[in-house]
């Protein structure tokens, strides 16, 4: 081959006309680009689907159906009811008669069958009697009672229960729905914000309507307190040592390798650690936020150490040199100058680590925070740490694992509460970062 | 505003004009990097761009094959004609343009592939070879033109990154040659090389002049004097002077050119 | 709150020590801090450190050792006849602990006097009923040996607590005297304090190692117990997983193969979703997208990584599962029985891993030097040709590392498979069937009612060990590849 052969067909083509091969290549270019756009679109689509299903399925947990009836108990009726053997039954009969008369007054032709009303409202006689025995002055006065309807009525209003899917049971019958519709038209059944869900405790398996997430929020709070109090100082101390003081030796290498590996160990393994060491070996109380906090601390530490070291590293060496130059000891240079400058970064990393810990579920399953029915708030501050409790993600799991589909609403609602907390923490972290970000 | 010297038609009329630039302005965001540059680059000639760092010579070079398109904030105005056709025309596909106007970079940048695949890359994407035997021929020829064939013929499947710096740069030149360009742009091709490798590459550039129009950016005035026939001096985004190399180095017209070549600025 | 009181006392001594130590040092220098070796506060800190560190260390060790010691003594003293058939010493000890707790609470609530709790005899008084009345949870009838043991347990703990308080307080006072003796103007207080602080820093850094040791020990110890009860070759090579729920019956078959298969299958589905989407997203974001698109799309994708796995689990169980059933189930193609299946879990896990793959790949693609791209563009290659033939091959080792890290995530993921994959362990190729994984079985074996000493519970530790070894191996290998790759371009 000679040089001349290279130019046997001199390509004097114009660059203003695009040749066939270039067209083909450009088409493949556009295809490739389209794959990229499709990938992003698909990812964002999943995100949207996730959020839509969370919001759509979760919002019903925040409302509940209440039956609001104005009811007047006369002195005569009061005495009569109190004199009977089945006192609560008597109250219930009186109340149902009251509802019936209101329906009649509004010309709504539906029979308020006592059994049906009992299915809708539960046994209400006790509540009414309790009200009048606490407020005897109200006898003879009109009073508006707001009574929670059963969770199946909730389900009817948010579309989970329909006439077609309803199977008659002792909980609800198809005929009851006529009554519900009539009461709704009469304005007796209303939707109200369910404060009980936010502040309340978990109910048993048979009462989805009364279940609340409040107690497990408190459980999570105490757990996060443990995580914060332990992981921040330990994480910062470990990072300072590794970044500023550690000599290059076997032990330091071992620590470094350990930290990067622990960051990738599956969280369930930390649960096994917690079960074996804290519960079996040290006999700390099961289901206690203290134990959960300890396990999550060990899990979060690598994250916090990694981000803390990054912020320590970003403080330029000139600051250290300046401090050492005026005669400060190495320790003083670090604690007086480097650490304060790195603090915003450290706090940001810590908040993100805490947010991660807050949503973690798997290790909590193993230390007994699931299956425990958190029925009440802990007594006092110390009790918050050592009394058995649940935590938000564990509570959500408990609800999701229950057979009754009415609890699914609660689980989605719980997720909204959890995500609101996570969002708040992340926003705080972003604000901290924006506010104190420093470019050297 | 500086009054551009009249490098007269006479100087370039001797050979065909390959690239002709008129009133070229380049902006990087708000920075005016190239100010109203006119230049005519001849075929089968080595043209050197010299000037202090940051004078815009590399930026201007990268306009010639639209490499600046890959930088988002860069805007180019004015006309640049290749064989009388505007390369910034809407109809031009930069991909097709770059096949005609090849480029060699400051730092040798072989792909992390074998020596063979490095050379074969261009011909493959442009569909220059009909079959494997054809490709083998192109690869050998390009390596010979890159004056590196004898050093690598026994290890064509070895990674290109394993060569020495000078060999890597000649490999990159061979790679650029393999797509049969008409113009070869070289952005400080020797700045990362030692003197011996530099000498080899300079020798190669002189060889390439027979077939191509070569444009070389260099910060070394000696190099410009050694390899080029025409020299353009850039300063602060302006083309200060453009003339025969001998004229520039012996009898510059502009005082700034003189200051630069005598070492007072830059 | 004796423990809080004790800590309070130690802290009070420390504060007093700080003040006195500082003053003593200043006095020894005639009130002029310039005559001191270190700043006055260092003398105070030295004393406080000597008060707190030894006493708190002893306190911690004591708190850990005492329950173990008391437990073993009481357990050793339990007569054999107290252990019923089908029960074990551990179960009886749990009963003893519950009874002791019950007695404590009863005393605390004033239902029993301390003497009653100490001397009561089960044969004469109806202890069980009285404890139940007091609101204590007592599972079975409290027998005399158990009551005796519980009383012994209480007594020993009470003695222990008193001894601990005395020892710790004495140590604190000793530290105080030692520190005060040193508070002399020529004493190098700063150096001493800094040495102490440094020791604390080292201790904090060593917690990472301790955690690993804790994980490894608890896994090894319990796995060893398991292999004493169940042959290891049947565990590793058995193809059936069917634990019996009766407790100690020998009828359980605990072969890990079906679980590993489920884990692997779900991970493969997850990676098949996450890798193409994540990789193409990363390519688009780093090579094509303008700064504006990047600033919006990247954080949005990363939101997917910040969502807790329980949310994904619920999403799989309640949204994706039913959706898949409506397409592939009886009304659709008829190949899917129920919502929980390999496909459900795999798909959702894939969504979770998208940002993981994309942000790691993004970093790696960005680490490919621009010169490489310029070289390719300079030859007239299009963007996609450059990416496919230059950038991706150059980034390949790093991307493989990223995928391995994602695989290790998928293998260790728990909540999505617990809720979305089903509970049946089977070896099947149909991705629309329910299968289960190692992590899901760890959860189910340890959250059930099985006795901790039974093979059915202990197998969870062997599963955990397997999981730990696999993920650790993957992580080390992946980190090694990624690091090698980074070095190549630095």
């Amino acid at each position: 081959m000679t040089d001349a052969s290279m130019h046997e067909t001199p390509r004097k083509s114009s660059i203003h006309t695009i040749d066939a091969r270039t067209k083909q290549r450009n088409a493949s270019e556009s295809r490739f680009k389209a794959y990229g756009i499709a990938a992003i679109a698909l990812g964002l689509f999943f995100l949207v689907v996730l959020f839509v299903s969370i919001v759509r399925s979760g919002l019903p947990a925040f409302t509940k159906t209440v039956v609001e009836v104005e009811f007047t108990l006369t002195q005569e009726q009061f005495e009569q009811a109190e004199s009977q053997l089945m006192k609560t039954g008597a109250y219930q009969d009186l109340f149902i008669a009251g509802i019936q008369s209101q329906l009649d007054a509004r010309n709504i032709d539906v029979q308020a069958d006592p059994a049906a009303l009992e299915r809708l409202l539960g046994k209400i006689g006790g509540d009414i009697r309790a009200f009048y025995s606490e407020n005897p002055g109200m006898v003879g006065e009109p009073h508006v009672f707001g009574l929670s309807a059963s969770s199946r009525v909730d389900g009817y209003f948010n579309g989970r229960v329909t006439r077609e899917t309803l199977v008659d049971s002792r909980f609800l019958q198809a005929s009851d729905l006529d009554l519900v519709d009539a009461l709704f038209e009469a304005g007796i059944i209303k939707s109200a914000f369910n404060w009980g869900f936010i502040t309340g405790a978990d109910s048993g398996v048979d009462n989805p309507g009364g279940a609340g997430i409040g107690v497990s929020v408190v459980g999570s709070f105490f757990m996060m307190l443990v995580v914060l109090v332990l992981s921040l100082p330990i994480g910062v101390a470990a990072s300072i040592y590794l970044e500023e003081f550690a000599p290059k030796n076997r032990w330091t290498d071992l620590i470094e390798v350990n930290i990067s590996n622990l960051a990738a160990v599956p969280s369930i393994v930390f649960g096994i650690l917690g079960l074996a060491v804290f519960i079996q070996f040290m006999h700390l109380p099961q289901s206690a936020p203290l134990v959960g906090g300890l396990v999550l601390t060990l899990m979060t530490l690598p994250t916090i150490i990694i981000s803390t070291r990054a912020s320590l590293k970003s403080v330029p060496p000139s600051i250290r040199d300046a401090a050492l130059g005026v005669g400060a000891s190495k320790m003083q240079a670090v604690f007086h100058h480097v650490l304060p400058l790195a603090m915003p970064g450290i706090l940001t990393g810590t908040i993100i680590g805490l947010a991660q810990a807050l949503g973690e579920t798997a290790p909590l399953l193993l230390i007994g925070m699931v299956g425990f029915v958190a029925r009440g708030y802990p007594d006092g501050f110390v009790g918050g740490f050592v009394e058995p409790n649940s935590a938000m993600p564990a509570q959500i799991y408990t609800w999701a694992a229950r057979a009754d589909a009415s609890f699914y609403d609660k689980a989605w609602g719980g997720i909204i509460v959890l995500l609101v907390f996570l969002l708040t923490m992340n926003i705080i972290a972003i604000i901290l970062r924006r506010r104190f970000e420093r470019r050297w | 505003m500086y009054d551009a010297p009249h490098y007269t038609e006479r100087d370039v009329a001797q050979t065909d004009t390959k690239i002709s630039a008129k009133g070229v302005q380049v902006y990087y965001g708000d920075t005016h990097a190239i100010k109203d540059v006119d230049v005519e680059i001849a075929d089968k000639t080595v043209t050197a761009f010299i000037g202090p760092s940051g004078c815009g010579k590399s930026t201007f070079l990268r306009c010639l094959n639209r490499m600046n398109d890959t930088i988002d904030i860069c805007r180019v105005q004015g006309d640049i004609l290749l064989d009388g056709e505007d390369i910034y025309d809407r109809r031009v596909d930069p991909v097709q343009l770059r096949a005609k106007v090849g480029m060699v970079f400051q730092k040798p940048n072989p792909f992390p592939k074998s020596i063979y695949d490095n050379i074969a890359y261009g011909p493959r994407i442009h569909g220059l070879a009909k079959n494997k035997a054809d490709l083998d021929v192109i690869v050998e020829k390009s390596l010979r033109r890159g004056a590196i064939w004898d050093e690598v013929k026994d290890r064509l499947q070895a990674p290109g990154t394993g060569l020495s710096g000078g060999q890597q740069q000649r490999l990159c030149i061979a790679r650029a040659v393999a797509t049969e360009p008409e113009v070869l742009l070289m952005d400080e091709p020797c700045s990362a090389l030692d003197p011996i490798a530099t000498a080899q590459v300079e020798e190669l550039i002189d060889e390439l002049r027979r077939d191509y129009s070569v444009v070389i950016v260099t910060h070394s005035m000696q190099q410009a004097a050694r390899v080029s026939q025409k020299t353009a001096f850039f300063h602060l985004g302006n083309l200060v002077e453009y003339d025969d190399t001998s004229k520039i180095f012996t009898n510059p017209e502009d005082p700034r050119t003189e200051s630069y070549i005598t070492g007072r600025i830059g | 709150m004796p423990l809080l009181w004790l800590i309070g006392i130690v802290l009070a001594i420390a504060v007093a020590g700080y003040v006195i130590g500082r003053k003593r040092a200043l006095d020894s220098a005639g009130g002029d801090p310039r005559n001191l070796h270190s700043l006055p506060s260092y003398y105070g800190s030295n004393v406080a450190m000597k008060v707190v560190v030894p006493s708190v260390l002893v306190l911690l060790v004591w708190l850990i050792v005492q329950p173990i010691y008391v437990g073993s003594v009481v357990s050793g003293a339990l007569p054999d006849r107290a252990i019923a058939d089908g029960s074990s010493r551990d179960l009886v000890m749990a009963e003893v602990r519950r009874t002791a707790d019950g007695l404590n609470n009863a005393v605390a609530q004033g239902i029993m006097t301390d003497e009653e709790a100490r001397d009561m005899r089960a044969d004469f008084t109806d202890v069980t009923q009285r404890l139940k009345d007091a609101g204590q949870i007592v599972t079975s009838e409290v027998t005399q040996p158990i009551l005796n043991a519980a009383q012994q347990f209480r007594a020993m703990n009470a003695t222990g607590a008193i001894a601990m308080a005395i020892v710790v307080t004495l140590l604190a006072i000793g530290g105080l005297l030692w520190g005060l003796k040193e508070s002399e103007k020529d004493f190098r207080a700063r150096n001493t304090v800094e040495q102490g602080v440094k020791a604390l820093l080292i201790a904090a850094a060593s917690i990472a190692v301790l955690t690993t040791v804790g994980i490894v020990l608890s896994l090894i110890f319990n796995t060893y117990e398991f292999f004493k009860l169940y042959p290891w070759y049947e565990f590793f090579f058995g193809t059936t997983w069917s634990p019996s729920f009766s407790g100690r019956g020998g009828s359980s078959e605990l072969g890990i193969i079906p679980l590993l298969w489920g884990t692997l299958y779900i991970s493969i589905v997850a990676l098949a979703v996450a890798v193409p989407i994540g990789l193409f997203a990363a390519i688009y974001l780093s090579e094509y997208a303008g700064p504006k698109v990047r600033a919006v799309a990247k954080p949005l994708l990363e939101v997917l990584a910040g969502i807790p796995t329980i949310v994904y689990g619920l999403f799989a169980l309640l949204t994706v599962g039913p959706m898949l059933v409506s397409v592939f189930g009886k009304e659709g193609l008829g190949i899917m029985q129920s919502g929980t299946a390999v496909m459900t879990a795999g798909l959702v896990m894939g969504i979770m891993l998208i940002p993981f793959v994309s942000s790691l790949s993004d970093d790696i693609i960005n680490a490919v030097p621009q010169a490489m791209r310029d070289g390719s563009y300079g030859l007239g290659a299009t963007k996609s040709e450059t990416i496919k033939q230059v950038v991706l091959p150059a980034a390949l080792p790093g991307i493989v590392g990223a995928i391995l890290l994602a695989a290790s995530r998928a293998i260790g993921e728990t909540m999505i498979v617990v809720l979305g994959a089903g509970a049946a362990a089977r070896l099947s190729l149909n991705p629309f069937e329910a299968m289960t994984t190692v992590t899901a079985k760890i959860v189910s074996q340890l959250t059930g009612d099985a006795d901790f000493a039974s093979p059915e519970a202990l197998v969870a530790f062997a599963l955990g060990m397997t999981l730990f070894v696999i993920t650790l191996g993957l992580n080390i290998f992946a980190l090694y590849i990624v690091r090698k790759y980074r070095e190549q371009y630095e």
Side-chain angles (χ1 to χ4, degrees), chain A residues 25 29 37 42 50 241 258 262 264 268 273 276 280 283 329 331-332 359 361 365 397 400 408 412 415 422, chain C residues 42 97 190 194 202 212 214-215 218 277 284 288 307-308 310 314-315 318 380 382-385 418 447 475:
Chain A
R25 287 169 60 200
E29 168 77 17
I37 295 176
L42 209 54
L50 185 60
Y241 178 70
N258 262 299
L262 280 181
I268 184 101
L273 170 77
Q280 285 185 325
H283 294 296
S329 69
M331 195 69 77
Q332 286 167 326
T361 322
L365 300 182
Y397 174 75
Y408 293 164
W412 286 114
I415 280 176
L422 291 184
Chain C
Y42 279 109
R97 283 206 181 84
R190 183 175 58 74
E194 289 189 351
I202 296 178
T212 310
I215 289 175
S218 54
I277 297 182
Y284 186 81
Y288 288 101
I307 292 173
I310 176 78
L314 210 62
F315 184 56
L318 300 178
T382 63
K383 255 190 172 171
S384 63
E385 284 161 353
V418 165
T447 49
N475 288 333

Side-chain angles (χ1 to χ4, degrees), chain C residues 140-337:
Chain C
S140 60
E141 199 68 21
V142 177
T143 58
Q144 183 56 29
I146 289 180
L147 186 65
N148 272 343
Q151 284 164 345
Q152 188 194 3
F153 189 79
R154 280 193 72 214
M156 283 183 75
N157 272 337
T159 323
I162 293 168
M164 179 176 77
I166 293 172
V167 169
V168 168
T169 316
L170 283 180
L171 264 176
I173 292 171
L176 176 76
L177 295 178
W178 179 27
L180 287 182
K181 196 162 159 282
E182 282 178 341
S183 303
E184 201 32 63
K185 73 178 164 56
D186 292 327
F187 177 63
R188 296 160 152 254
R190 183 175 58 74
N191 306 44
T192 314
V193 170
E194 289 189 351
Q195 283 299 320
V197 171
K198 200 164 165 186
L200 279 181
L201 296 185
I202 296 178
S206 306
I207 284 185
V209 180
L210 272 184
T211 310
T212 310
V213 170
I215 289 175
V216 170
L217 280 187
S218 54
L219 286 175
I220 286 183
F221 179 72
N222 287 297
T223 307
Y224 175 72
E225 291 289 309
F226 171 66
F227 285 141
K228 277 203 288 195
L229 298 171
Y230 193 87
W232 62 270
Y233 50 88
E234 280 184 33
F235 172 71
F236 284 116
F237 302 111
T239 53
T240 318
W241 174 272
S242 62
S244 75
F245 293 99
S246 60
R248 305 183 65 81
S251 59
S252 289
E253 285 187 83
L254 303 169
I256 196 176
I257 300 275
L259 304 186
L260 279 182
W261 169 242
T263 306
L264 193 71
Y265 203 175
I266 291 174
S267 306
I268 288 173
V269 173
L271 290 179
V273 172
V275 170
I277 297 182
L279 199 53
F280 270 108
I283 288 172
Y284 186 81
L285 286 179
S286 59
E287 302 283 330
Y288 288 101
K292 273 187 197 147
V293 175
R294 198 178 152 85
V296 174
K298 199 171 151 71
L300 273 182
L301 273 186
E302 271 159 18
V303 167
L304 283 173
I307 292 173
T309 54
I310 176 78
V311 180
Y312 283 108
L314 210 62
F315 184 56
L317 178 70
L318 300 178
T319 308
V320 176
M323 219 159 66
L324 287 178
V325 167
S326 69
V327 178
F328 299 102
K330 267 193 229 100
E331 263 128 68
L333 296 173
I335 47 173
M336 197 170 179
Q337 301 298 323

Side-chain angles (χ1 to χ4, degrees), chain A residues 129-315:
Chain A
R129 178 167 182 240
F131 174 78
Y132 284 110
S133 48
E134 270 171 37
N135 308 293
M138 292 304 289
V139 173
E141 303 282 325
H143 176 74
V144 178
F145 283 90
L147 301 164
S148 305
S150 87
S151 63
R152 280 168 183 75
V153 179
D154 283 342
Y156 177 61
F157 279 109
N158 61 42
R160 183 161 41 75
V161 176
T162 62
R163 283 172 191 270
E164 288 76 40
T165 58
L166 183 68
V167 180
D168 282 1
S169 69
R170 70 186 170 88
F171 300 115
L172 191 65
Q173 295 185 354
S175 57
D176 299 344
L177 295 179
D178 297 331
L179 180 61
V180 171
D181 286 341
L183 290 172
F184 183 71
E185 260 174 59
I188 292 177
I189 286 192
K190 287 181 184 157
S191 258
F193 190 79
N194 189 357
W195 280 109
F197 178 67
I198 291 176
T199 57
D202 189 13
S203 56
V205 285
D206 48 357
N207 179 17
I213 199 164
V215 173
S216 55
V217 170
V218 172
S220 277
F221 170 76
F222 279 103
M223 251 168 36
M224 288 306 113
L225 219 55
V226 175
V227 177
L228 180 67
V229 165
L230 290 179
S231 66
L232 184 59
I234 295 179
V236 170
S239 314
I240 289 181
Y241 178 70
L242 292 174
E243 207 50 52
E244 307 282 345
F245 294 102
K248 196 85 194 113
N249 61 21
R250 284 265 178 84
W251 183 245
T252 331
D253 281 349
L254 184 70
I255 294 175
E256 302 255 6
V257 170
N258 262 299
I259 289 171
S260 55
N261 281 325
L262 280 181
V265 166
S267 56
I268 184 101
V269 172
F270 285 96
I272 296 182
L273 170 77
L275 175 68
V277 172
F278 296 132
I279 292 183
Q280 285 185 325
F281 184 68
M282 292 190 190
H283 294 296
L284 293 177
Q286 270 208 6
S287 316
L290 175 67
V291 179
L294 286 174
V295 172
L296 294 180
T297 300
L298 295 181
M299 220 189 70
T300 324
L301 260 182
T303 321
I304 292 185
I305 291 179
I306 288 169
S307 69
T308 303
R309 289 184 67 179
S311 17
L312 286 175
K313 223 178 245 157
S314 71
V315 177

